[in-house]
């Protein structure tokens, strides 16, 4: 909670003592802040799975996905942008399916 973090920071800083050595004061400050961060916002581990490059993922599809992402960022601005995003999303999905189908069809033909 943001209020608790603010309160704990204020309490920690109010009891903070400056040492005669500037570097010691800096180290103590950083230790106190790191301790607060560990308490209020601990690091979490995330597992990122590797997805092999899809063979049908070409430059045309990559550009279509870029268009979709740009449209997605604007979709909340107006009804027009929302409709545009939905159209581009649909086109992107259709393109992906067509490219997958074409790739596997050619692969099956090649291996007959």
């Amino acid at each position: 909670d943001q209020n608790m973090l603010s309160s704990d920071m204020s309490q920690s800083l109010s009891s903070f003592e400056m040492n005669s050595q500037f570097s010691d004061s800096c180290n103590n400050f950083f230790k106190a802040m790191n301790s607060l961060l560990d308490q209020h916002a601990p690091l979490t581990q995330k597992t990122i799975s590797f997805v092999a490059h899809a063979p049908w993922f070409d430059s045309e599809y990559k550009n279509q996905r870029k268009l979709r992402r740009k449209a997605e960022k604007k979709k909340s601005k107006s009804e027009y942008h929302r409709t545009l995003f939905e159209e581009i999303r649909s086109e992107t999905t259709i393109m992906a399916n067509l490219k997958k189908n074409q790739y596997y069809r050619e692969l099956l033909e090649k291996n007959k």
Side-chain angles (χ1 to χ4, degrees), residues 1-14:
D1 170 84
Q2 191 174 1
N3 292 331
M4 284 192 68
L5 174 61
S6 179
S7 171
D8 287 350
M9 285 179 74
S10 295
Q11 185 179 14
S12 181
L13 291 175
S14 67

Side-chain angles (χ1 to χ4, degrees), residues 15 32 54 107:
S15 63
L107 189 64

Side-chain angles (χ1 to χ4, degrees), residues 73-82:
K73 289 177 184 176
K74 294 180 181 179
K75 75 178 180 180
S76 62
K77 291 185 178 182
S78 70
E79 184 64 27
Y80 167 77
H81 286 102
R82 187 184 64 76

Side-chain angles (χ1 to χ4, degrees), residues 12-13 16 26-37:
S12 181
L13 291 175
F16 185 72
C26 287
N27 285 335
N28 290 337
F29 173 79
F30 287 121
K31 284 180 186 176
M33 291 300 111
N34 281 332
S35 174
L36 284 173
L37 285 174

Side-chain angles (χ1 to χ4, degrees), residues 26-27 36 39 53 62 66 75-76 83 90-91 101:
C26 287
N27 285 335
L36 284 173
Q39 180 184 347
H53 178 70
K62 183 178 180 180
K66 282 182 186 179
K75 75 178 180 180
S76 62
T83 304
S90 176
E91 291 170 5
N101 289 340

Side-chain angles (χ1 to χ4, degrees), residues 63-75:
N63 290 334
Q64 184 68 24
R65 285 174 55 106
K66 282 182 186 179
L67 282 175
R68 184 185 69 190
R69 281 194 299 276
K70 285 181 183 179
E72 185 175 17
K73 289 177 184 176
K74 294 180 181 179
K75 75 178 180 180

Side-chain angles (χ1 to χ4, degrees), residues 38-99:
D38 287 343
Q39 180 184 347
H40 290 277
L43 290 177
T44 57
Q45 254 187 352
K46 300 240 178 194
T47 303
I48 300 172
S49 58
F50 176 74
V51 178
H53 178 70
W56 59 84
F57 199 108
D58 59 8
S59 61
E60 180 186 22
Y61 181 58
K62 183 178 180 180
N63 290 334
Q64 184 68 24
R65 285 174 55 106
K66 282 182 186 179
L67 282 175
R68 184 185 69 190
R69 281 194 299 276
K70 285 181 183 179
E72 185 175 17
K73 289 177 184 176
K74 294 180 181 179
K75 75 178 180 180
S76 62
K77 291 185 178 182
S78 70
E79 184 64 27
Y80 167 77
H81 286 102
R82 187 184 64 76
T83 304
L84 182 64
F85 164 70
E86 289 173 355
E87 289 173 8
I88 293 173
R89 180 182 61 189
S90 176
E91 291 170 5
T92 305
T93 302
I94 291 168
M95 181 185 287
N97 289 332
L98 288 173
K99 289 192 175 291

